[in-house]
Amino acid sequence: MSEILLETHGLTKEFNGFTAVDNVDLQVRAGTIHALIGPNGAGKTTCFNMLTKFLPPTRGRIHFKGRDITGIAPADVARLGLVRSFQISAVFPRLTALENVRLALQRARGNSFDFWRSETALRRYDNRAHQLLFDVGLTGLADTAAGLLAYGQKRALEIATTLALDPEMMLLDEPTAGMTHADVDRIVELIRSIRTGRTILMVEHNLSVVEGLCDTITVLTRGRVLAEGDYATVSRNPEVIAAYLGSDAPELAHA
Amino acid sequence: MSASATPVALGAARPGLFGFTRAQAVGFLLMLAAIVVLPHVLYPIFLMRILTAALFACAFNLMIGYVGLLSFGHAAFYGMGAYVCAWTLKFWHLDAAAAILLGGLTGGLLGLALGYLAIRRSGIYFAMITLALAQMVYFFCLEAPFTGGEDGIQQVPRGTAFGIFPLHQDMAMYWLVAGIFIAGFLLIHRVIHSPFGQVLKAIRENEPRATSLGYRTMHYKLIAFVISTFLSGIAGATTSVVFGIATLDGVTSARSGDVVLTTLVGGLGTVFGPVVGAIVTTSMENYLAQFGSWVTVTQGAVFVVCVLAFRRGIVGEIAAKLRLSL
């Protein structure tokens, strides 16, 4: 078994007495694709937002690469190599696709504070940016404003932007939410192609995406960990089936 | 403000010389020609009022147009720049250029201190905090002995610039003001079209995403604020040299409101908007002065019409019509 890259101890989030995430111990091993699944309101996204420091936890600790990151700022978490995506596609709409990717390259490689230089200084990142756009299938759309891209293309652009940082670990928040079947397949292929040398933790609602893609699956219900294991183990767990009953039960049954 | 996204801003305009698009380069050359020709036709003092108001509005526009933060306290930096410049000119007999630079640095330093407090909030909260802090600066100026209280600092000699150019003649003063304006205008343009400016745009478009890419967004906003307040201080300082006076008028909230109005009338987030806005508001003040308080009434009416009829401002509307980036 490989080493543990991201770990939480007793992670808890309370909102005015309501416990959204309750004492979650999570261990993500390096090099794996780990899924966090569960019915609506299970606390997946809350959990996710705490991991990236966009929400402060009420209790509990978070360790990344053995370092306690519970108290540090979101931008600094990203600098350590733990980069997140968002459920609502997160692009810079009025900038071109190329500029979107370049912003990530620029952050990783410097001169972001240069206010006295011409932005032509950024052209040295163009080759790498075009390569990344090619990798996610957006060749030819480099000069299109990100806001004008189709939904699936925006998600692809978001992944290209995240990849530009070359993060050790990526956190994907429902990467296939609201997509057509064709787009879902493309994104799954994309995630598979970028996993080499990386660790991925993804929140997912769609069980057919998780199957065959993720190595480990953690099931959350009402803020607690219900089950953990590979797809075969988890999908046969009677408690998991019960938790999904009424919502996604048919999906689980035919899987 | 983001609702006014126009097709103009979309699409990739190929930046040419100095980051200007072709339309902007034409606009810039026209502006340069006007700066050279107009003093032979119009009263230079009037033109200098326009140029300093335009520089102030351009500096303000950097925050509202490119960072998306509405400062309601920019008069503090403008006014303090004016006081420090006038004081050092009158009592230390400093070189005019050095005094103006000192005024700018005062604005920038004050901007660093006040910005450090205000930049943590955005939207209406940022506007309110900047307004409150600027009011504190106003009361400081009212009470502090060096400002001369209600009288202000009067009869400030213009002196010489760079040790060799005497400024007592209006045309000499005019060329200095024109030079300062063009330098400030180009500096702002460079900031917007720099690697740093690219990050500012990203923050304006989607701040959480910029954070998730590892940008410590507060640092970028604060640097932009300091550049903006530095240039506001320069604008205030230059005005005090032109008129030989620095008064409480420069630090009032009305002054802060004026610059909001000027920028809005011209067009937020456009390169030439603040300049056109300054021409409009300064002309109104100048030519309507004989009607006394009607100036304020007219300004109010123009503001209402502007907000209702052409939200993008004069330059913004023209740019949208012509599908150009101006």
Side-chain angles (χ1 to χ4, degrees):
Chain A
M1 272 286 195
S2 51
E3 55 164 329
I4 291 163
L5 192 64
L6 181 75
E7 194 173 13
T8 70
H9 300 283
L11 199 62
T12 303
K13 180 72 194 177
E14 289 164 2
F15 295 106
N16 298 326
F18 169 73
T19 310
V21 172
D22 189 4
N23 220 5
V24 168
D25 295 323
L26 197 66
Q27 293 183 332
V28 182
R29 293 184 181 281
T32 61
I33 300 187
H34 193 125
L36 206 53
I37 67 166
N40 280 330
K44 304 179 298 262
T45 294
T46 308
C47 201
F48 195 87
N49 282 336
M50 284 193 286
L51 292 177
T52 46
K53 315 300 307 144
F54 277 73
L55 262 182
T58 311
R59 274 187 299 282
R61 317 295 308 170
I62 305 163
H63 291 266
F64 179 62
K65 290 197 276 188
R67 183 178 161 176
D68 190 335
I69 61 164
T70 318
I72 75 176
D76 296 321
V77 171
R79 283 158 180 259
L80 287 173
L82 178 65
V83 180
R84 69 167 293 176
S85 75
F86 292 82
Q87 202 174 112
I88 309 148
S89 71
V91 295
F92 304 114
R94 286 199 272 174
L95 302 180
T96 67
L98 186 78
E99 287 173 324
N100 267 266
V101 177
R102 232 168 41 178
L103 269 160
L105 292 170
Q106 183 186 343
R107 213 287 286 139
R109 300 177 189 194
N111 69 31
S112 288
F113 283 111
D114 298 2
F115 62 80
W116 56 91
R117 290 174 65 167
S118 163
E119 61 191 350
T120 50
L122 295 173
R123 288 198 188 142
R124 60 201 177 97
Y125 302 133
D126 282 3
N127 281 339
R128 178 74 188 125
H130 279 295
Q131 178 64 44
L132 284 159
L133 288 174
F134 171 81
D135 289 347
V136 299
L138 292 178
T139 316
L141 293 169
D143 290 331
T144 307
L148 298 178
L149 294 174
Y151 186 74
Q153 291 171 332
K154 279 185 192 152
R155 304 304 307 240
L157 176 61
E158 199 190 334
I159 290 180
T161 309
T162 308
L163 280 174
L165 294 176
D166 199 15
E168 206 171 333
M169 180 162 184
M170 286 170 79
L171 296 165
L172 307 176
D173 193 1
E174 301 212 20
T176 65
M179 280 192 180
T180 62
H181 270 295
D183 278 339
V184 169
D185 291 343
R186 271 189 52 213
I187 293 292
V188 169
E189 269 323 297
L190 190 57
I191 294 173
R192 205 165 288 180
S193 71
I194 61 176
R195 69 171 301 179
T196 343
R198 272 181 242 287
T199 310
I200 296 171
L201 173 68
M202 54 194 275
V203 164
E204 191 50 75
H205 197 72
N206 190 340
L207 283 166
S208 60
V209 169
V210 170
E211 184 190 12
L213 180 65
C214 300
D215 307 296
T216 315
I217 295 161
T218 301
V219 186
L220 283 183
T221 47
R222 294 174 198 190
R224 288 170 170 278
V225 176
L226 185 68
E228 194 172 82
D230 60 14
Y231 185 79
T233 319
V234 167
S235 62
R236 285 197 200 94
N237 186 318
E239 280 186 281
V240 174
I241 296 171
Y244 262 86
L245 261 182
S247 57
D248 290 311
E251 217 178 320
L252 195 75
H254 81 241
Chain B
M1 313 266 155
S2 56
S4 62
T6 62
V8 179
L10 295 169
R14 280 268 154 241
L17 182 71
F18 216 77
F20 281 122
T21 62
R22 188 169 298 165
Q24 286 169 341
V26 170
F28 184 65
L29 290 176
L30 282 175
M31 191 172 78
L32 278 187
I35 287 174
V36 173
V37 173
L38 284 180
H40 303 290
V41 186
L42 293 168
Y43 188 39
I45 293 277
F46 169 60
L47 292 174
M48 285 190 267
R49 273 180 60 197
I50 291 181
L51 287 174
T52 50
L55 180 60
F56 187 29
C58 285
F60 172 80
N61 188 38
L62 177 65
M63 285 314 286
I64 180 71
Y66 297 93
V67 190
L69 287 174
L70 169 63
S71 162
F72 237 102
H74 255 48
F77 316 109
Y78 178 91
M80 281 304 277
Y83 275 129
V84 168
C85 175
W87 202 87
T88 53
L89 209 53
K90 186 170 181 180
F91 298 106
W92 287 357
H93 308 291
L94 226 54
D95 186 88
I100 289 172
L101 184 65
L102 210 58
L105 292 175
T106 305
L109 270 177
L110 190 63
L112 181 66
L114 303 194
Y116 182 80
L117 298 170
I119 217 84
R120 284 149 213 285
R121 294 287 175 270
S122 57
I124 189 77
Y125 302 102
F126 179 79
M128 289 299 112
I129 294 171
T130 48
L131 175 63
L133 292 172
Q135 286 306 99
M136 288 166 63
V137 171
Y138 173 81
F139 284 110
F140 169 77
C141 292
L142 185 63
E143 299 298 329
F146 89 99
T147 61
E150 303 273 6
D151 299 332
I153 305 171
Q154 294 186 14
Q155 285 163 334
V156 180
R158 285 184 186 168
T160 52
F162 306 106
I164 41 173
F165 301 111
L167 296 170
H168 58 270
Q169 284 199 326
D170 281 350
M171 277 314 285
M173 188 70 227
Y174 178 82
W175 294 122
L176 179 67
V177 173
I180 290 170
F181 167 75
I182 292 166
F185 182 87
L186 288 177
L187 172 66
I188 290 170
H189 193 72
R190 171 43 58 88
V191 169
I192 295 163
H193 296 279
S194 68
F196 172 80
Q198 194 73 11
V199 181
L200 285 186
K201 282 176 211 156
I203 293 172
R204 185 191 61 186
E205 300 266 295
N206 191 339
E207 187 168 350
R209 181 54 173 162
T211 303
S212 83
L213 293 179
Y215 285 111
R216 295 169 179 138
T217 55
M218 294 301 153
H219 297 351
Y220 292 86
K221 291 185 192 173
L222 188 56
I223 291 172
F225 194 71
V226 170
I227 296 172
S228 171
T229 54
F230 167 75
L231 287 171
S232 300
I234 293 275
T238 310
T239 316
S240 76
V241 179
V242 173
F243 295 100
I245 191 169
T247 62
L248 279 174
D249 185 50
V251 284
T252 53
S253 55
R255 174 71 59 182
S256 294
D258 278 349
V259 75
V260 178
L261 175 72
T262 301
T263 313
L264 210 71
V265 167
L268 295 178
T270 61
V271 178
F272 297 103
V275 182
V276 172
I279 294 171
V280 172
T281 50
T282 312
S283 302
M284 280 198 312
E285 273 168 39
N286 197 54
Y287 294 113
L288 296 177
Q290 48 183 318
F291 303 112
S293 58
W294 283 100
V295 180
T296 329
V297 176
T298 317
Q299 277 185 337
V302 166
F303 185 78
V304 171
V305 169
C306 184
V307 171
L308 290 179
F310 46 108
R311 279 195 310 138
R312 297 188 190 101
I314 297 169
V315 173
E317 292 292 337
I318 294 172
K321 278 262 167 12
L322 300 177
R323 298 183 154 265
L324 287 172
S325 179
L326 285 172

